[in-house]
């Protein structure tokens, strides 16, 4: 009788007729397998699930830390088959399995957001620059008034600016006197017209003085008509001089103010650069000197540009002023001379020469049909 070879209990795996494990022996097989494994593997539970012998799927080993063991767990490396990889790919898993067999997590693209500038910080920076610029300009102005600081002077340009300001004051005085004359002449014309109407009314009611009242009525009405013509010429003269003084010259003086502000900024930054150049040169002062040099160059270019703009505007202003004032002075002289000479035709010819149209009294008033 043949002797039976000793068998390990862990190797006895009852299998049914269809090639599957018996459910009653599965638990005992797993227990015997854990006892036969070395302790160093630290496996808490190992479960082998077998499928049909003709299946291409491999078994799955679930491993975890051994309860009660102080050793750090060691992960088991299992080389997956093509079938297991196809299952992972079919599930849409976010794992990438290289040829080495180690799973790595797929990392998506990293997008760095642009740095968002804070509006409050930008405003504070603008206020800081404005305050620093204002401080330097104020210090430069005070130094110039006290006679301690130096200023850049263009003698030829400064002389032209002084003449322009003096002429503006004189033109404003002429304009003011001409407006006064226009107001008084308007009142006189209005009085002459009323006086002519009064003489005409009396000439109709006083039979014995009919002719005398009639002559005076015609004379006053003629004077009122000539006064209106002269008033139109004077008002045209006032309008032209007012445009020259309060628009053309004022626009040039506005450019002059911008030029003077640029000059003060230029001198302020020039003084700062000179002070830094007189001081020591080391690692701390060299960046400041370089920054001051850049700011000085920027304000120098601005100063040169404004000086060129002022020179051009003064040149065109002088040409325009001569042309405008020549025509207006000729008009004013001819109108006044013709009026006081009683030359009505010459007065009317003067207005036609300068294309002046008189407004008919009451022409601007709407008719009674338009009021309805």
């Amino acid at each position: 009788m043949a002797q039976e070879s000793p068998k390990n209990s862990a190797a006895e795996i009852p299998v049914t007729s269809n090639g599957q494990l018996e459910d009653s022996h599965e638990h005992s097989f797993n227990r015997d397998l854990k006892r036969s494994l070395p302790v160093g593997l630290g496996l808490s539970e190992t479960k082998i699930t077998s499928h049909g012998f003709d299946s291409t799927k491999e078994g799955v080993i679930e491993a975890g830390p051994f309860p009660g063991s102080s050793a750090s767990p060691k992960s088991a490396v299992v080389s997956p088959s093509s079938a297991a990889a196809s299952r992972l790919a079919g599930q849409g898993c976010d794992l990438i399995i290289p040829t080495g067999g180690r799973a790595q997590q797929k990392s998506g693209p990293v997008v760095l957001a642009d740095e968002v500038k804070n509006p409050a910080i930008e405003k504070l920076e603008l206020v800081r620059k404005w305050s620093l610029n204002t401080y330097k300009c104020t210090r430069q102005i005070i130094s110039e008034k006290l006679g301690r600081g130096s200023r850049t002077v263009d003698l030829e340009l400064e002389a032209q600016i002084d003449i322009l300001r003096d002429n503006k004051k004189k033109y404003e005085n002429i304009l003011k006197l001409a407006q006064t004359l226009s107001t008084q002449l308007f009142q006189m014309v209005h009085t002459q017209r009323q006086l002519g109407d009064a003489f005409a009314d009396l000439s109709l009611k006083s039979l014995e003085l009919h002719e005398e009242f009639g002559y005076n009525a015609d004379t006053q009405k003629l004077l009122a008509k000539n006064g209106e013509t002269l008033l139109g010429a004077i008002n045209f003269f006032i309008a032209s001089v007012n445009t020259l003084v309060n628009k053309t010259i004022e626009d040039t003086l506005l450019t002059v103010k911008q030029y003077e502000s640029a000059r003060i900024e230029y001198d302020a930054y020039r003084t700062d650069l000179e002070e830094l150049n007189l001081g020591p040169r080391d690692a701390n002062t060299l960046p400041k000197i370089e920054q001051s040099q850049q700011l000085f160059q920027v304000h120098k270019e601005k100063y040169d540009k404004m000086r060129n703009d002022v020179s051009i505007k003064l040149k065109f202003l002088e040409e325009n002023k001569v042309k405008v004032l020549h025509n207006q002075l000729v008009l004013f002289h001819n109108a006044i001379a013709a009026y006081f000479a009683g030359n009505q035709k010459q007065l009317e010819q003067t207005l036609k020469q300068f294309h002046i149209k008189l407004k008919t009294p009451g022409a601007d008033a709407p008719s009674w049909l338009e009021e309805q």
Side-chain angles (χ1 to χ4, degrees), residues 339-353:
Y339 173 78
F340 285 99
N343 192 344
Q344 182 180 1
K345 293 182 179 181
Q346 181 65 28
L347 185 59
E348 293 177 353
Q349 185 65 28
T350 301
L351 267 66
K352 290 180 180 180
Q353 179 184 354

Side-chain angles (χ1 to χ4, degrees), residues 95-332:
L95 296 176
I96 300 176
I97 302 177
T99 56
R102 182 166 297 181
Q104 295 181 358
Q105 185 177 359
K106 184 190 296 184
S107 60
V110 179
V111 179
L112 298 178
D114 295 336
E115 183 180 358
V116 180
K117 296 182 179 180
N118 191 348
I121 296 178
E122 292 183 355
K123 291 182 180 180
L124 289 176
E125 183 65 19
L126 291 176
V127 171
R128 186 188 69 83
K129 292 181 179 180
W130 175 83
S131 301
L132 182 61
N133 186 71
T134 304
Y135 164 73
K136 291 183 178 182
C137 294
T138 305
R139 185 182 63 177
Q140 177 66 24
I141 294 173
I142 295 176
S143 299
E144 292 178 2
K145 290 184 177 180
L146 295 178
R148 298 177 182 176
S150 60
R151 63 188 299 264
T152 304
V153 179
D154 189 336
L155 296 178
E156 182 180 359
L157 189 61
E158 292 290 339
Q160 294 178 2
I161 293 174
D162 292 339
I163 292 175
L164 176 62
R165 286 173 174 166
D166 184 61
N167 288 338
K168 183 175 183 292
K169 292 180 181 179
K170 294 178 180 179
Y171 295 154
E172 287 176 346
N173 185 40
I174 291 176
L175 184 62
K176 182 179 179 181
L177 294 174
Q179 290 173 346
T180 302
L181 177 62
S182 175
T183 302
Q184 293 174 352
L185 181 61
F186 175 78
Q187 294 176 352
M188 185 181 71
V189 169
H190 182 68
T191 302
Q192 287 174 342
R193 188 182 299 108
Q194 290 180 340
L195 188 59
D197 293 339
F199 284 148
D201 184 61
L202 289 173
S203 66
L204 297 175
K205 295 181 179 180
S206 301
L207 299 178
E208 61 278 4
L209 298 175
H210 172 72
E211 294 183 359
E212 288 79 0
F213 280 122
Y215 294 152
N216 283 279
D218 295 338
T219 302
Q220 294 300 323
K221 289 181 180 180
L222 180 61
L223 291 175
K225 182 179 179 181
N226 293 340
E228 291 176 354
T229 306
L230 177 61
L231 188 62
I234 293 177
N235 289 336
F236 185 78
F237 172 81
I238 291 173
S240 300
V241 175
N242 181 64
T243 302
L244 176 66
V245 174
N246 294 326
K247 290 186 178 180
T248 309
I249 296 180
E250 189 65 28
D251 179 70
T252 305
L253 290 177
L254 180 61
T255 307
V256 170
K257 291 180 181 179
Q258 296 175 355
Y259 157 75
E260 292 176 345
S261 299
R263 197 274 307 167
I264 293 175
E265 292 179 353
Y266 165 72
D267 285 337
Y269 284 92
R270 175 182 58 82
T271 303
D272 283 350
L273 181 60
E274 292 175 354
E275 292 177 355
L276 290 175
N277 287 330
L278 294 176
R281 291 177 175 269
D282 51 17
N284 294 328
T285 57
L286 285 178
K288 295 181 180 179
I289 294 175
E290 183 179 357
Q291 183 181 7
S292 180
Q293 179 68 35
Q294 294 176 357
L295 293 175
F296 166 75
Q297 189 65 29
V298 170
H299 287 86
K300 182 178 183 300
E301 293 176 357
K302 180 181 178 182
Y303 167 72
D304 293 338
K305 179 180 180 299
M306 294 306 303
R307 180 175 59 182
N308 187 38
D309 291 347
V310 171
S311 300
I312 293 174
K313 281 200 171 185
L314 286 175
K315 180 180 178 180
F316 284 108
L317 174 63
E318 186 65 23
E319 296 176 357
N320 188 29
K321 181 189 69 174
V322 172
K323 181 180 179 180
V324 170
L325 287 181
H326 171 75
N327 294 333
Q328 297 304 316
L329 291 174
V330 170
L331 166 66
F332 191 81

